[in-house]
Amino acid sequence: MDRIAIYDMDRTITISGTYTPFLLHVSAQMAPWRLILAFFIPFVMLAYVLRLIPRARLKEINQALMIGHNVRRTKLQPHIESYADKVMAKNVRKGALDRIAQDRAEGYRLVLATASYRLYVEAIAARLGFDAVIATDHLNQDLDYVRAKIAGENCYDIAKLRMIEAWMASEGIARTNSHIRAYSDHVSDAPMLEFSDEAYAVKPHPPLAKLALERGWPRLDWA
């Protein structure tokens, strides 16, 4: 029996979101003049809220504004590492660290599944001791520069579940021979939570809190 513990990241393990702070962190370090372009981010967000652009396009535009269309990975890497250190120092729930340690001690394989970009998530996952990362990828992951373009699907909602299933298949893990725990704060992860054997609502926003009550999923209010 394969034991797997799947964690969402933003606002589940972390206290607050990580993507926009990552863009601002990199901009401030690499090209401070780009911080002026942060003025446009609320307008891009408004376009998303009005359904003029999809969520994936929202992320691509914001990255192009704050980092650029094409950036060398070697140039980005020191700032990715410093940002991961910053997240670990100031933006991780102690309750999440305790639960991760518990799952590891119980023999669970730790998987971080997040809509955030693999570009910086892997550095955070490494510091947390995760065994695998399922995340949104950039186009041409094998290139030595990062493009502001998503490869495949944004790892969100039902797409996240499809990516989890694809990862399991690639690892030779059969659903019928596995026990899965899943943790999330947001109702968009309902497909992942429904897929699991043990679903946990972590500091849930109201829609997930309501669904968790209906489904009988335990609520965890990590500090």
Side-chain angles (χ1 to χ4, degrees):
M1 180 68 69
D2 291 293
R3 290 180 160 193
I4 305 169
I6 306 175
Y7 288 75
D8 174 49
M9 186 176 75
D10 286 0
R11 299 182 181 86
T12 298
I13 293 175
T14 66
I15 299 165
S16 58
T18 61
Y19 180 53
T20 299
F22 167 71
L23 295 179
L24 295 173
H25 176 85
V26 173
S27 295
Q29 298 298 314
M30 286 180 52
W33 66 267
R34 284 189 177 273
L35 293 174
I36 298 171
L37 301 179
F39 170 81
F40 295 101
I41 289 179
F43 296 98
V44 180
M45 179 62 74
L46 179 61
Y48 166 68
V49 171
L50 295 175
R51 299 186 179 182
L52 300 176
I53 59 173
R55 190 179 187 89
R57 186 60 183 147
L58 164 72
K59 293 167 73 171
E60 291 172 347
I61 293 171
N62 284 343
Q63 180 176 324
L65 285 171
M66 303 310 299
I67 296 180
H69 288 282
N70 297 312
V71 185
R72 294 286 174 185
R73 291 181 185 275
T74 53
K75 187 176 180 182
L76 274 174
Q77 199 58 44
H79 309 302
I80 290 171
E81 298 297 334
S82 64
Y83 180 68
D85 288 338
K86 185 176 179 179
V87 170
M88 292 300 297
K90 300 180 179 180
N91 194 22
V92 174
R93 301 186 190 279
K94 182 183 182 302
L97 296 176
D98 292 341
R99 188 65 177 228
I100 290 167
Q102 177 184 326
D103 283 341
R104 184 185 299 112
E106 292 179 11
Y108 280 81
R109 188 171 181 179
L110 302 174
V111 178
L112 191 59
T114 173
S116 295
Y117 280 116
R118 181 182 304 276
L119 176 68
Y120 70 90
V121 167
E122 286 187 334
I124 297 171
R127 286 159 172 76
L128 290 168
F130 274 81
D131 302 299
V133 171
I134 299 168
T136 303
D137 286 314
H138 284 94
L139 193 64
N140 301 116
Q141 285 285 128
D142 56 329
L143 296 180
D144 66 353
Y145 59 87
V146 177
R147 298 173 62 186
K149 185 71 176 175
I150 290 175
E153 295 186 284
N154 186 34
C155 187
Y156 183 79
D157 203 278
I158 190 66
K160 181 183 286 191
L161 176 57
R162 285 194 289 265
M163 293 170 77
I164 289 169
E165 291 176 316
W167 173 80
M168 290 176 65
S170 71
E171 294 291 312
I173 300 171
R175 182 65 186 91
T176 54
N177 193 43
S178 58
H179 184 90
I180 298 175
R181 288 176 175 170
Y183 304 86
S184 180
D185 71 292
H186 199 274
V187 74
S188 64
D189 278 328
M192 176 184 76
L193 295 170
E194 295 277 12
F195 180 71
S196 68
D197 299 289
E198 298 178 46
Y200 296 93
V202 180
K203 289 276 193 178
H205 72 152
L208 180 58
K210 181 176 181 291
L211 182 63
L213 190 61
E214 293 171 357
R215 297 287 195 272
W217 297 336
R219 173 173 176 150
L220 303 176
D221 287 308
W222 293 335

